[in-house]
Amino acid sequence: MPFANLNINEDIPGSLLAPAKALKYPWTTFIGGHLGRLGTRHDLKIHQAYMDDLDAEIRRALTTVDATPYFVKYGNNTWAAVKTYLDEVIAVASRPVVTKYTGTLAAADVFTESNAFMLMESIRLDGGFGMTVHD
């Protein structure tokens, strides 16, 4: 389980690619900040699945959560509308991931929402998902 806010990761796209690269090597022990134990190849595969699921749920939420009610509610307070809309995107995206990984990944119930926020911002800002960009 990544620590809160994806551990303030500076290269989320690169970090998403790192586990596949690491699994190409024949190591057996992963030292990744686990509390109380060393990690395994299986742990890294679960991490990959968690991040893939979180990515998919964020993309789904970004395309299905309607921003309109937030902009109607807050009127000219655009930043309040943006914040509450993105909070809802994170809540919607996180629910199924928390349900799936609680009991499998320690702290899935604690850190998924903050991790989802950081991943969502990377999906939007690094990848341009859901952004209208004109040349």
Side-chain angles (χ1 to χ4, degrees):
M1 182 71 205
F3 187 70
N5 299 305
L6 291 179
N7 206 26
I8 315 298
N9 192 319
E10 294 181 6
D11 181 11
I12 292 171
S15 293
L16 294 174
L17 299 173
K21 290 180 182 180
L23 288 167
K24 291 179 181 178
Y25 295 94
W27 54 272
T28 57
T29 303
F30 179 72
I31 303 171
H34 294 256
L35 295 174
R37 71 176 184 83
L38 297 173
T40 66
R41 295 178 73 81
H42 179 69
D43 291 331
L44 197 54
K45 290 177 184 177
I46 292 172
H47 167 79
Q48 279 182 297
Y50 168 83
M51 294 303 293
D52 288 347
D53 288 343
L54 192 55
D55 184 286
E57 292 298 335
I58 290 166
R59 290 171 190 273
R60 182 175 295 116
L62 282 169
T63 59
T64 60
V65 175
D66 183 7
T68 307
Y70 303 96
F71 286 90
V72 169
K73 179 179 179 178
Y74 289 101
N76 290 333
N77 190 350
T78 305
W79 288 114
V82 169
K83 183 197 182 304
T84 54
Y85 162 69
L86 293 177
D87 287 348
E88 181 64 11
V89 168
I90 293 307
V92 167
S94 295
R95 268 191 226 93
V97 177
V98 168
T99 298
K100 181 175 180 177
Y101 288 95
T102 296
T104 301
L105 284 175
D109 58 331
V110 176
F111 293 132
T112 294
E113 284 195 5
S114 69
N115 289 331
F117 177 79
M118 296 298 285
L119 182 56
M120 175 188 68
E121 289 303 274
S122 178
I123 290 168
R124 292 174 62 242
L125 302 175
D126 295 326
F129 184 86
M131 308 294 271
T132 303
V133 179
H134 301 280
D135 293 320

